């Protein structure tokens, strides 16, 4: 079953890309602006945070060039995507990683931004087009979350976290508090265990050379889940990560998400918080795996209420608590028990799930073949409805 779903999703990737080459970039998911109770959230984010999220969306979009046949990111910082944007002129590629093609693997890059006004060490975690296959196969297999001690890899089987790349012996030891009754998604957790062995030495070395640089983690889709787990690990090592995710699925149970909120010291002052989870109306991934399977969301959600690109400041709202009914959780009201919700349509993985300030995931100039060289799209040509009809027939 998982294989068939994955095959269907792969076919839709190709169709969505082809459709994108002839339609306008304002692809309209079927769901529009929130109505009823979801229309009541008027807490808009600041202009400063809007610009920050827009840039982070471009940064994580570049990660889709890693692991793409014939493409990639080259030093100092060039790729087939947005690497040439003016904002990235002072970026320096540290390394890329690609541990493999499966759920328990991961893909992304590490870069330094030497901009004097905002120096950063950035880890960008790529998502995957096999998200439907992932959720179908592994959403019912949570495992205990045990933050690892200083010798974090001792006692971890090589099957769960095989030795990859350089050893992490130079990274500071982890000393996290216990997480009582916490469980996490097995696949997401294994993915971080794989990734950790690759990235820790580079992060440790870069922070030692550039102690004043802000540590920034950003991830899209499954990469968002791995970024959240990485943020917990980094905090346990005494580092100060700032984590932003786009379209992050549910990673663990209620106790685990409470642990995330506590570790990041989430407060009502949203601007001061160092963890943000961005969701988009119509995106099914933040609602999966289902709550009936023991999964829930962590707090600091920022909700995009506009269904189509471009997105303006008036479309982006702060949310309250872990599952604000005015935000993405409000579209989960009619979910059936123990099954995939009827609202879950595969085409949404390539429209609502990818439209976070930009269309993510294509590794193309400007991130969208319909709009090479332009910042934002023009008028809709009407091909969206035709594309949706074709996708629903598959």
């Amino acid at each position: 079953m998982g294989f068939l779903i994955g095959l269907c999703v792969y076919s839709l990737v190709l169709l969505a890309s082809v459709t994108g080459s002839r339609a306008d970039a304002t692809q309209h998911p079927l769901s529009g602006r929130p109505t009823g109770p979801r229309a009541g959230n008027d807490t808009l984010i600041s202009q400063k945070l809007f610009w920050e999220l827009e840039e982070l969306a471009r940064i994580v979009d570049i990660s889709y060039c890693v692991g793409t046949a014939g493409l990639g990111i080259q030093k100092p910082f060039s790729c087939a995507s947005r690497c040439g944007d003016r904002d990235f002129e002072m970026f320096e590629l540290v390394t890329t990683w690609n541990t493999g093609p499966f759920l328990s693997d991961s893909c992304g890059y590490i870069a330094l931004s030497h901009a004097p006004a905002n120096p950063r060490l950035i880890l960008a975690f790529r998502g995957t087009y096999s998200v439907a296959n992932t959720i179908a196969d592994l959403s019912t297999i949570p495992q205990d979350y045990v933050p690892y001690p200083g010798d974090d890899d001792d006692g971890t089987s090589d099957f769960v976290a095989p030795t990859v790349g350089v050893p992490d012996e130079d990274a500071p030891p982890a000393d996290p508090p216990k997480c009582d009754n916490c469980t996490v998604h097995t696949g997401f957790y294994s993915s971080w265990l794989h990734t950790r062995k690759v990235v820790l030495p580079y992060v440790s070395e870069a922070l030692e050379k550039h102690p004043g640089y802000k540590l920034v983690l950003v991830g899209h889709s499954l990469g968002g889940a791995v970024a959240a787990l990485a943020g917990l690990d980094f905090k346990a090592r005494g580092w100060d990560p700032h984590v932003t995710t786009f379209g992050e699925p549910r990673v663990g149970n209620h106790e685990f998400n409470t642990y995330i909120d506590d570790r990041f010291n989430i407060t009502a002052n949203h601007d001061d918080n160092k963890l943000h989870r961005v969701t988009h109306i119509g995106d099914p991934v933040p609602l999966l795996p289902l709550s009936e399977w023991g999964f829930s969301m962590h707090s600091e959600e920022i909700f995009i209420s506009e269904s189509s690109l471009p997105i303006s400041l008036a479309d982006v709202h702060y949310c309250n608590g872990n599952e604000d009914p005015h935000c993405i959780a409000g579209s989960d009201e009619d979910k059936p028990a123990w099954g995939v919700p009827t609202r879950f349509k595969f085409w949404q993985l390539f429209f609502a799930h990818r439209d976070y300030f930009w269309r993510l995931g294509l590794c193309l100039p400007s991130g969208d073949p319909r709009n090479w060289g332009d910042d934002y799209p023009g008028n809709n040509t009407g091909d969206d409805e035709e594309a949706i009809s074709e996708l629903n027939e598959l």
Side-chain angles (χ1 to χ4, degrees), residues 309-350:
L309 297 174
I311 294 165
S312 70
L313 180 61
D315 304 319
V316 190
H317 313 264
Y318 285 122
C319 304
N320 297 317
N322 288 9
E323 302 203 14
D324 189 336
H326 299 107
C327 298
I328 195 68
S331 59
D332 204 22
E333 297 168 351
D334 300 323
K335 60 179 181 291
W338 301 100
V340 177
T342 56
R343 69 177 180 284
F344 184 82
K345 295 181 171 61
F346 286 130
W347 67 267
Q348 290 176 313
L349 293 175
F350 312 106

Side-chain angles (χ1 to χ4, degrees), residues 18-300:
V18 171
T19 302
S21 66
R22 58 190 175 83
D24 182 88
T26 52
Q27 296 279 7
H28 293 282
L30 294 182
S31 55
R33 243 181 227 282
T35 58
R38 275 182 288 162
N41 190 344
D42 294 324
T43 309
L44 299 180
I45 69 171
S46 65
Q47 182 68 70
K48 178 182 177 182
L49 182 56
F50 180 89
W51 286 333
E52 179 182 336
L53 294 176
E54 185 275 333
E55 184 196 31
L56 287 171
R58 286 182 286 146
I59 287 172
V60 79
D61 183 47
I62 292 170
S63 69
Y64 280 90
C65 293
V66 181
T68 303
L71 300 174
I73 309 174
Q74 293 78 38
K75 293 185 176 182
F77 196 70
S78 62
C79 65
S81 183
R82 306 180 190 275
C83 294
D85 286 8
R86 183 175 56 187
D87 291 341
F88 306 146
E89 290 176 350
M90 303 193 74
F91 272 47
E92 174 192 350
L93 179 66
V94 175
T95 191
T96 63
W97 77 86
N98 184 6
T99 63
F102 302 108
L103 169 66
S104 57
D105 295 295
S106 177
C107 201
Y109 70 92
I110 304 174
L112 289 161
S113 172
H114 298 295
N118 188 23
R120 291 169 290 173
L121 172 62
I122 298 169
L123 283 77
F125 296 82
R126 200 195 81 174
T128 174
Y129 287 120
S130 64
V131 62
N133 195 16
T134 296
I135 293 166
D137 287 345
L138 292 172
S139 57
T140 57
I141 312 177
Q143 70 170 69
D144 290 341
Y145 175 73
V146 181
Y148 280 75
D151 57 348
D152 46 85
D153 293 328
D154 291 350
T156 303
S157 72
D158 202 56
F159 175 77
V160 174
T163 302
V164 181
V166 287
D168 59 2
E169 57 192 21
D170 294 331
D175 186 22
K178 185 179 180 182
C179 188
D180 293 321
N181 301 316
C182 294
T183 61
V184 294
H185 188 289
T186 298
F188 304 159
Y189 194 39
S190 296
S191 181
W192 167 237
L193 294 181
H194 282 207
T195 306
R196 181 176 60 187
K197 297 189 176 192
V198 178
V199 303
L200 277 179
Y202 293 102
V203 176
S204 182
E205 180 181 4
L207 289 176
E208 184 176 350
K209 290 182 178 178
H210 307 280
Y213 280 41
K214 178 180 176 182
L215 179 57
V216 174
L217 283 62
V218 58
H220 173 242
S221 190
L222 303 191
V226 180
L229 291 167
L232 287 175
D233 192 311
F234 288 1
K235 290 193 74 68
R237 298 174 190 275
W239 295 334
D240 185 27
H242 295 66
V243 181
T244 301
T245 68
F246 298 94
E248 174 194 338
R250 290 166 169 157
V251 181
N253 65 354
H254 174 74
E255 289 78 8
F256 173 77
N257 289 301
T258 299
Y259 182 78
I260 290 181
D261 294 344
D262 290 343
R263 292 294 288 145
F264 278 89
N265 192 29
I266 300 302
T267 70
N269 189 347
H270 298 289
D271 287 341
D272 290 340
N273 291 328
K274 299 177 181 179
L275 172 69
H276 293 112
R277 176 173 61 89
V278 186
T279 63
H280 182 206
I281 185 170
D283 184 356
V285 173
L287 301 172
L288 296 169
L290 296 178
S291 57
E292 287 88 353
W293 297 337
F295 293 89
S296 65
M297 305 174 188
H298 60 80
S299 65
E300 274 313 278

Side-chain angles (χ1 to χ4, degrees), residues 3 5 382:
F3 172 78
I5 294 175

